Amino acid sequence: MPTHDEIVSIFNKAIEEKYDEIIFVTFSSCFGGTYDFVCSLSKDFASKIRTYVINSRTFGFNQGYIALKVQEMVNKGVPTSDILVKVEKLIKNQTIVALAKNIDYVYANHLVSLRKNIFAKVFHHIPEFKLTKIIISI
């Protein structure tokens, strides 16, 4: 989690460089305190800069992808209100794909059928499977 001083320096730099707003994309609020922390600090700067804190509801690659898409839209001049709507759709429709070390793990956890297990072993396939929203919801 970023420190208080790191987040404050982001706010101060944005204000100093005359930005109108900041869009923060954080790790899922379920996996740490960054989202709540940034929300709390943004209140201290509310009179100086508009702040939008996005709870990515994920971690790792998906969170980085969302941040890159936000930057891409900002560079194209997309209005913030449209960015927030598009990001919410990205978050809602995101899929996490996992790779297991071997098929036995996936089969033992009832994620594939016996037939798929045998097929994967014959072709030395590393299993790939999607985690559902039920599995990742906390």
Side-chain angles (χ1 to χ4, degrees), residues 1-2 26-38 55-59 138:
M1 187 163 106
T26 69
F27 281 141
S28 172
S29 60
C30 296
F31 295 108
T34 304
Y35 173 77
D36 293 329
F37 183 55
V38 174
N55 178 3
S56 69
R57 297 193 292 274
T58 190
F59 59 94
I138 295 179

Side-chain angles (χ1 to χ4, degrees), residues 105-122:
Y105 171 82
V106 178
Y107 178 68
N109 287 288
H110 310 291
L111 298 172
V112 296
S113 66
L114 177 59
R115 185 180 67 178
K116 288 182 181 177
N117 183 27
I118 293 168
F119 178 83
K121 283 185 176 188
V122 168

Side-chain angles (χ1 to χ4, degrees), residues 4-19 22 24 44-45 48-49:
H4 175 273
D5 292 343
E6 288 169 334
I7 298 297
V8 168
S9 72
I10 291 169
F11 277 105
N12 286 332
K13 183 176 180 183
I15 293 165
E16 188 178 297
E17 294 181 7
K18 308 259 189 259
Y19 282 97
I22 298 174
F24 278 97
D44 297 340
F45 291 89
K48 297 177 183 175
I49 192 164

